[in-house]
Amino acid sequence: MQSIDRAMHVIQVLVSQSSDSQLSITELSQKCGLPVSSMHRLLKAMSKHGLIRQDEQSKHYGLGNIWLEYGLRMYDRMDYISQIRPELERLMNKVDESVYLSQPIGMESLIIERIDSEKNPIRVYDQLGLRIPMNIGAANKAMLAYMSYQQAKEIIDALLPEPQRLEFWQTLKETRIRGCGISHSERTEGTTSVAAPILNHFGEVHGAVSIGFVSFNLSDDRLDFLIEHVMDTGKRISAKLGYTGP
């Protein structure tokens, strides 16, 4: 059991790195709190099963390709859209507004699902497959606010000029405290969106659920109502993906 715990700790450390980042055995030992000798034996066993791989030149370690194989198999079996869609439909029926599901892809997010309310003749319409820079919109703020500092910093430094970064970091701090992202007229004048992060079983950002609506005559009570329900949906979906945190 101890070996499994140690192996999972190594995997979690490697998963937390950026996609092109690998770690030396010394760095892994420090991050996992294990002697180098113990780490060497553990890495050797994990390599044997394809869980990790070692770069021949740098001798640094990263995740093995077997995780891609396992992930694709799980994706095929789980069909997470079919699991999540009922939650999106539930939210749409509660709020009578357009509801979106987004996922981060590098410096952008991708809208992968949208459910419109037939009861509402005035809709905010964003196409499926639309890519949006990660510094724009409520969904993206919600995702950035819950990413690791290093991951968020790489995105912010790439997308924003230095004079704008401090204020944006403050916005993310407020988003994290509030538990949801809010955006007013960032992409389309006269519209507002609210969003909550979706976290996986590692507590990592898997995506975001958001509500887009016209902000004409928007009352504080209505905004609070939408925030309450989008946050509840984010928590429900996260739980379906195995997240057990607060």
Side-chain angles (χ1 to χ4, degrees):
M1 186 62 70
Q2 187 182 49
S3 296
I4 295 175
D5 291 340
R6 288 178 172 180
M8 284 304 300
H9 195 181
V10 171
I11 291 166
Q12 289 169 359
V13 167
L14 292 175
V15 165
S16 69
Q17 302 300 301
S18 58
S19 58
D20 58 348
S21 178
Q22 298 178 327
L23 296 175
S24 68
I25 188 171
T26 302
E27 291 170 324
L28 281 170
S29 297
Q30 292 172 347
K31 289 179 179 290
C32 296
L34 290 174
V36 172
S37 57
S38 299
M39 181 59 67
H40 182 268
R41 290 192 297 272
L42 181 61
L43 294 177
K44 186 177 180 180
M46 294 176 70
S47 296
K48 180 180 178 181
H49 293 281
L51 301 177
I52 60 169
R53 58 184 176 84
Q54 185 181 35
D55 185 89
E56 292 183 0
Q57 293 184 339
S58 68
K59 303 301 181 183
H60 287 190
Y61 291 89
L63 291 174
N65 291 330
I66 199 168
W67 294 105
L68 177 60
E69 177 186 347
Y70 288 164
L72 290 173
R73 288 183 181 181
M74 284 299 297
Y75 180 88
D76 186 53
R77 290 178 185 176
M78 187 170 69
D79 188 10
Y80 81 93
I81 287 294
S82 69
Q83 287 199 12
I84 292 175
R85 187 177 175 87
E87 294 295 343
L88 301 179
E89 291 176 342
R90 180 177 179 274
L91 176 61
M92 180 273 293
N93 288 324
K94 283 275 188 181
V95 302
D96 290 331
E97 302 284 0
S98 296
V99 171
Y100 298 89
L101 178 66
S102 303
Q103 280 193 308
I105 302 179
M107 300 295 156
E108 299 172 313
S109 67
L110 181 71
I111 296 177
I112 61 175
E113 185 64 289
R114 184 193 72 242
I115 301 180
D116 295 319
S117 171
E118 296 182 359
K119 296 179 182 178
N120 194 336
I122 304 175
R123 305 173 185 169
V124 176
Y125 182 84
D126 284 328
Q127 290 182 323
L128 291 179
L130 180 67
R131 289 176 177 263
I132 303 172
M134 282 294 292
N135 62 309
I136 297 174
N140 293 349
K141 290 185 179 72
M143 289 188 284
L144 280 172
Y146 281 80
M147 287 181 181
S148 68
Y149 170 77
Q150 188 58 43
Q151 189 178 6
K153 185 177 186 301
E154 289 178 5
I155 294 171
I156 292 169
D157 288 353
L159 294 180
L160 290 175
E162 189 171 354
Q164 298 178 18
R165 293 174 192 167
L166 184 60
E167 182 179 358
F168 192 79
W169 276 112
Q170 181 60 35
T171 298
L172 295 186
K173 180 180 179 181
E174 294 168 359
T175 298
R176 182 70 181 250
I177 293 172
R178 187 171 51 235
C180 73
I182 301 177
S183 171
H184 297 289
S185 299
E186 278 194 86
R187 295 186 57 249
T188 305
E189 189 66 31
T191 64
T192 293
S193 60
V194 294
I198 296 171
L199 307 177
N200 65 19
H201 63 288
F202 285 120
E204 300 165 336
V205 172
H206 185 84
V209 56
S210 60
I211 306 170
F213 49 96
V214 175
S215 52
F216 177 70
N217 281 343
L218 176 66
S219 67
D220 289 341
D221 287 345
R222 176 63 175 170
L223 181 60
D224 290 342
F225 172 82
L226 296 173
I227 289 173
E228 176 187 351
H229 284 289
V230 79
M231 288 177 62
D232 178 65
T233 301
K235 291 175 181 177
R236 292 169 66 94
I237 295 175
S238 296
K240 284 192 171 186
L241 298 182
Y243 180 64
T244 58

